[in-house]
């Protein structure tokens, strides 16, 4: 059973950057589409970026041009490079398959964008 552990969050000023990592305890090679999701206080969880096993990517309009998702199947890791961060990016960020599987939800990593 694959377990996903997110890391790399923190407090950053508006305009700053963070790189999130999602490490899988098992192989993610068989998971065709991986995604990064986020949940802000009082809001529903939303998909912000997705990547196929072949490297095709898709982004929510709110992060397009600022976030970049990538995956390293050999390292069983998915990344989310976040640039030009805005206060509205503040949320807990999770990785999961797309569509998400309940057993894959981890603790997430907190991203706070504030001056």
């Amino acid at each position: 059973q694959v377990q996903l552990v997110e890391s790399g969050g923190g407090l950053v000023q508006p305009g700053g950057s963070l790189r999130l990592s999602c490490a899988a305890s098992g192989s993610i090679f068989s998971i065709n589409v991986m995604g990064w999701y986020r949940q802000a206080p009082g809001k529903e969880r939303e998909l912000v970026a997705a990547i196929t096993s072949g490297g095709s990517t898709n982004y929510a309009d709110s992060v397009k041009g600022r976030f970049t998702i990538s995956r390293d199947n050999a390292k069983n890791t998915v990344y989310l490079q976040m640039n030009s961060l805005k206060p509205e990016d503040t949320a807990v960020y999770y990785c999961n398959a797309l569509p998400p599987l309940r057993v894959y939800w981890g603790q997430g990593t907190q991203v706070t964008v504030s001056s």
Side-chain angles (χ1 to χ4, degrees):
Q1 182 70 43
V2 173
Q3 289 185 317
L4 305 173
V5 178
E6 303 90 349
S7 63
L11 173 64
V12 63
Q13 292 186 343
S17 298
L18 284 174
R19 189 193 194 204
L20 306 184
S21 297
C22 170
S25 61
S27 174
I28 62 170
F29 181 78
S30 63
I31 302 176
N32 183 36
V33 187
M34 290 293 296
W36 278 98
Y37 302 77
R38 69 184 181 188
Q39 187 167 22
K43 296 187 176 181
E44 293 188 355
R45 196 172 299 181
E46 64 173 345
L47 176 68
V48 296
I51 185 167
T52 70
S53 57
S56 297
T57 58
N58 201 10
Y59 299 92
D61 288 342
S62 59
V63 306
K64 200 170 294 183
R66 300 187 298 121
F67 290 12
T68 302
I69 188 171
S70 60
R71 67 191 285 174
D72 187 333
N73 289 333
K75 294 183 178 181
N76 297 320
T77 304
V78 182
Y79 304 97
L80 186 68
Q81 177 67 43
M82 306 187 296
N83 299 327
S84 302
L85 283 161
K86 304 175 181 181
E88 51 264 43
D89 295 318
T90 295
V92 179
Y93 284 72
Y94 305 86
C95 63
N96 203 317
L98 178 67
L101 299 177
R102 185 171 58 184
V103 295
Y104 284 173
W105 289 119
Q107 296 299 310
T109 185
Q110 175 71 49
V111 172
T112 303
V113 185
S114 175
S115 54

